[in-house]
Amino acid sequence: MSPESEADTPGEATLPGTLPDALRAELVAFRRDLHMHPELGNQEFRTTAAIKERLERAGLKPRVLPVGTGLVCDIGTNTDSGQWSGGPRMLALRADIDALPIPDTKNECAYRSQVPDRAHACGHDVHTTVVLGTGLVLAALHEQGLLPRPVRLVFQPAEEVLPGGAADAIEGGALDGVRRILAVHCDPRVDAGRIGLRVGPITSACDRMEIALNGPGGHTARPHLTTDLVTAAARVATDVPALVARRVDSRSGLALTWGRIESGHAPNVIPQHAELAGTVRCLDLDAWRQAPDLVMGAIDEIANLYRAKSEITYVRGVPPVVNEVTSTELLQAAMVARRGTDAVESTEQSLGGEDFSWYLEHVPGAMARLGVRPPGERTVRDLHQGDFDVDEHAITVGVEMFTAAALIDAVQ
C-alpha cells in the first residue's frame, strides 16, 4: 500500500493545509502502529495515550474523556485551559478508535495485528489517523494565523459496542460549543482518492434482541401435555419477521434477522426452554423509533399462540446516520477544492449501523465514505473481515479534505 501522494490536484494552489511529505510518512507509520496494536471498545488505553502524546507534542491540550479512553482536543480556542468560552461555535471532526474481536488474517503483511483475535478490520485506525493528521495541520495553520475559527477533534471510544461510545463522548462534553460535526468511514468499494456522499440517511439503525421462551416440557409422545417450545421457537423465528413487515411501511426497510436459535438436547424430549437472538435493522428514523413496540408485540403475540412465556431483552442500538444538507455540501466543496469534481461520487444507504448518528441528534453533520480501494484493484476487501486493509493514500485524502472543510466552514 503506497503512502505516496498523487500529482497536484485542483484547489491545492489556493487553499492551505496540504500534507508535507514528512508528516505524510509519519501518519502512515502512526496508522500502522495502531493497526499492529488494536484495542477493543473501552479498552483503548494505549491508543488514547499515543494520540494524546502526539497532540501534546504539537503544543495542543487534549482532554481524556471521563470514561478513561478517548479524548477531545480544541485548536484555536480562546482560553489557556482549552475549554470553549463563547464566540463562534466550533466545527468538530470525529474519529472512532476501537477495533474488532476478530483475528487478523493478513499473514504476509508487515504491520498485521500483534494481538491475538483483535484487528482493525473496520478502518478505525485510518479514521483516527486522518483526524490526528488534520489536527496537526490545523495547529500549524493556527500558529500562522490562518485558522479563522476554532476546531474540535473528537477521538471516540467503543463505536463497535452497542449502543456505542458516542453517548459517553457527548456526556463528557464532546459537543459543548460545537455547531457542526463531520466524520469519514472507510469504504473498500470506493477507490482511494475519492469519496462517496449522499444527503439524508447513509447508514441504517441497528438494534440487538434476545428472546427466552419457557414452558413445561415433556415426552415427544405427548406434545399435547407440554408447551412445544421447539415449534414455538420455530414459529417466532419465521412468523415474527413477516408479521412486523406487514405492520410498518415497507419503504422503511425494517428487517428482523436471526443469528442464533437454540433449544433442546434429545430427539425424544420436548425442552422447557428455548432461546433466539438477532438484530433489527431499519432504514428510516421514524420506523426505528416504533420498532421496539412493534417487534416485542409481535413476539408476544406468536408466543402466546403456543402457550409459551416470553422474556425479551431488546437492546437499543443506534439510529440511522442522516446527513444534513449543508454539512454534506461542505464535505463536497472541500473535496472538490482538493481533488476536483470527479473525486466525489454518490453512494447508497447501507444497512450497517454507526453511532455517529447520536451526535446528529444534537447538532447537524455528515459522514463521507472515504475511498480506500487501490485504484484498479478488483478484489474488495470487505469491512469486518480479517484480511481488511487499505490504500494508505486515503490518509492524505482524508486529512486534506478535512482541513479544507475547516477553512471553508470558517468563512461561510
Side-chain angles (χ1 to χ4, degrees):
M1 305 296 174
S2 172
E4 309 289 329
S5 64
E6 294 180 349
D8 289 344
T9 49
E12 291 187 355
T14 58
L15 198 63
T18 56
L19 271 179
D21 289 341
L23 181 54
R24 181 183 297 110
E26 179 191 351
L27 292 176
V28 168
F30 188 91
R31 178 258 166 174
R32 292 185 178 188
D33 179 71
L34 294 185
H35 201 83
M36 293 169 68
H37 301 93
E39 296 174 301
L40 298 184
N42 296 316
Q43 301 173 26
E44 313 96 331
F45 298 104
R46 182 186 185 278
T47 303
T48 299
I51 300 165
K52 183 173 183 287
E53 187 278 331
R54 185 62 185 92
L55 291 171
E56 289 177 337
R57 193 149 38 96
L60 299 171
K61 298 180 179 180
R63 309 184 300 281
V64 176
L65 292 170
V67 292
T69 61
L71 62 158
V72 296
C73 183
D74 295 346
I75 303 167
T77 49
N78 57 358
T79 69
D80 291 337
S81 68
Q83 297 290 337
W84 183 239
S85 64
R89 290 162 64 83
M90 288 179 283
L91 173 72
L93 306 172
R94 174 266 200 175
D96 36 12
I97 66 175
D98 58 326
L100 287 163
I102 64 174
D104 189 331
T105 59
K106 302 188 298 295
N107 295 325
E108 304 302 319
C109 179
Y111 50 86
R112 73 187 296 261
S113 172
Q114 296 182 358
V115 184
D117 299 321
R118 303 287 186 269
H120 268 296
C122 200
H124 293 189
D125 53 337
V126 175
H127 308 165
T128 299
T129 304
V130 165
V131 173
L132 173 65
T134 302
L136 298 177
V137 173
L138 292 178
L141 291 177
H142 176 59
E143 290 179 359
Q144 302 168 47
L146 298 176
L147 183 63
R149 179 179 291 167
V151 174
R152 174 168 294 161
L153 314 178
V154 179
F155 297 92
Q156 176 214 302
E159 189 276 331
E160 298 288 354
V161 182
L162 287 178
D168 290 330
I170 294 167
E171 186 175 346
L175 290 180
D176 294 351
V178 169
R179 60 186 286 271
R180 188 182 312 282
I181 189 166
L182 304 176
V184 293
H185 198 295
C186 290
D187 192 336
R189 302 165 302 172
V190 179
D191 285 351
R194 300 171 61 84
I195 63 167
L197 283 177
R198 68 177 279 122
V199 173
I202 193 170
T203 69
S204 300
C206 180
D207 298 338
R208 189 178 73 243
M209 183 174 53
E210 296 180 357
I211 305 165
L213 299 177
N214 297 288
H219 200 288
T220 55
R222 292 175 290 277
H224 60 290
L225 301 179
T226 73
T227 293
D228 189 351
L229 284 179
V230 172
T231 299
R235 299 306 299 190
V236 167
T238 56
D239 291 355
V240 169
L243 194 60
V244 169
R246 289 297 178 269
R247 294 180 177 177
V248 68
D249 190 328
S250 59
R251 292 171 296 183
S252 70
L254 196 153
L256 196 167
T257 306
W258 305 105
R260 181 174 67 88
I261 180 168
E262 296 180 13
S263 187
H265 300 283
N268 62 340
V269 177
I270 295 174
Q272 302 178 53
H273 183 73
E275 295 181 356
L276 301 91
T279 60
V280 178
R281 297 181 185 272
C282 187
L283 301 174
D284 179 72
L285 185 58
D286 290 336
W288 176 73
R289 289 173 173 148
Q290 303 172 39
D293 289 340
L294 283 171
V295 172
M296 290 190 289
I299 291 168
D300 286 339
E301 192 172 322
I302 300 301
N304 287 338
L305 289 175
Y306 293 87
R307 296 179 297 172
K309 295 181 179 179
S310 61
E311 298 176 8
I312 306 168
T313 302
Y314 195 104
V315 180
R316 209 63 162 132
V318 294
V321 172
V322 181
N323 282 352
E324 183 257 345
V325 174
T326 303
S327 302
T328 308
E329 291 173 346
L330 175 60
L331 285 168
Q332 179 169 347
M335 193 64 175
V336 169
R338 294 298 192 196
R339 309 259 152 200
T341 55
D342 290 342
V344 180
E345 61 183 66
S346 61
T347 190
E348 298 178 347
Q349 182 180 8
S350 78
L351 278 170
E354 233 291 352
D355 77 350
F356 181 67
S357 54
W358 290 123
Y359 299 101
L360 305 186
E361 296 280 296
H362 300 272
V363 297
M367 170 176 282
R369 294 214 168 106
L370 180 67
V372 297
R373 180 177 61 193
E377 184 173 301
R378 294 185 178 180
T379 301
V380 175
R381 298 185 179 186
D382 204 5
L383 299 170
H384 289 215
Q385 300 297 315
D387 65 346
F388 178 75
D389 204 355
V390 305
D391 184 328
E392 289 167 320
H393 177 57
I395 296 171
T396 297
V397 175
V399 170
E400 295 186 350
M401 179 184 69
F402 270 167
T403 55
L407 295 172
I408 294 170
D409 180 64
V411 298
Q412 287 183 343

